[in-house]
Amino acid sequence: MKKIGLFYGAGSHTTATIAGKIKNACQGCDIEIIAVENAGGADFEKYENIIAGAATWPEGELPGYWDKVMPEVASLDMHGKKVAIFGLGDQRGYPDNFVDGIGILARSFAARGATIVGYTSTEGYHFTCSRAVTNGQFMGLAINEVNQSELTDERIRHWIEQLKGEFALEVAE
């Protein structure tokens, strides 16, 4: 079975909680959770399948905990790697940059040759603009714990089932 590296910001309680939910939802998957605050480029090189997650700061930027590692990511050759992104945002409070972090991460990894997987529908969300949207879909899983927390577990469950196929995982029973 292919091991999955799940990178997230441990400094953000909500992002850490969602990362834990993603790991728990992928029963039988071999997932290693890595706090991005402690990660370097070599950590990303260890995995063929990567899940990366971040909140979006109110200005539509990645949180500071990604700042240290992004220059290292920019120097990697990620051809042959599949990357799925999850992001947190507030569609009512920040409708002009809802989950922009997904788009920032996805474009950064894709620029290094990674294949982005885990696209999801924008249906059921209400926002005006997002750098996470391309061809009418989010470039990953959008989570809105502020306004739609009751939908989070179901969204994660569906996304994990999708990723199992896209990552071509042989899941242990």
Side-chain angles (χ1 to χ4, degrees), residues 57-148:
W57 279 7
E59 301 81 25
E61 300 298 326
L62 286 175
Y65 52 77
W66 277 96
D67 289 346
K68 177 185 142 229
V69 76
M70 289 312 288
E72 292 185 51
V73 167
S75 69
L76 298 176
D77 177 1
M78 298 192 76
H79 288 87
K81 297 187 183 297
K82 294 181 181 177
V83 179
I85 313 290
F86 72 93
L88 288 82
D90 176 352
Q91 61 192 329
R92 287 189 196 144
Y94 303 97
D96 295 330
N97 54 22
F98 179 58
V99 296
D100 277 357
I102 292 173
I104 295 167
L105 288 176
R107 286 178 180 85
S108 295
F109 286 116
R112 303 310 311 146
T115 299
I116 305 304
V117 298
Y119 284 66
T120 60
S121 174
T122 59
E123 188 174 326
Y125 298 89
H126 306 284
F127 59 96
T128 54
C129 188
S130 176
R131 288 191 278 174
V133 175
T134 187
N135 297 323
Q137 291 187 299
F138 288 120
M139 299 171 77
L141 176 64
I143 299 290
N144 185 341
E145 283 291 276
V146 176
N147 303 296
Q148 295 180 328

Side-chain angles (χ1 to χ4, degrees), residues 23-34:
K23 181 177 181 177
N24 291 338
C26 198
Q27 296 294 320
C29 298
D30 189 4
I31 297 180
E32 186 172 308
I33 294 186
I34 303 103

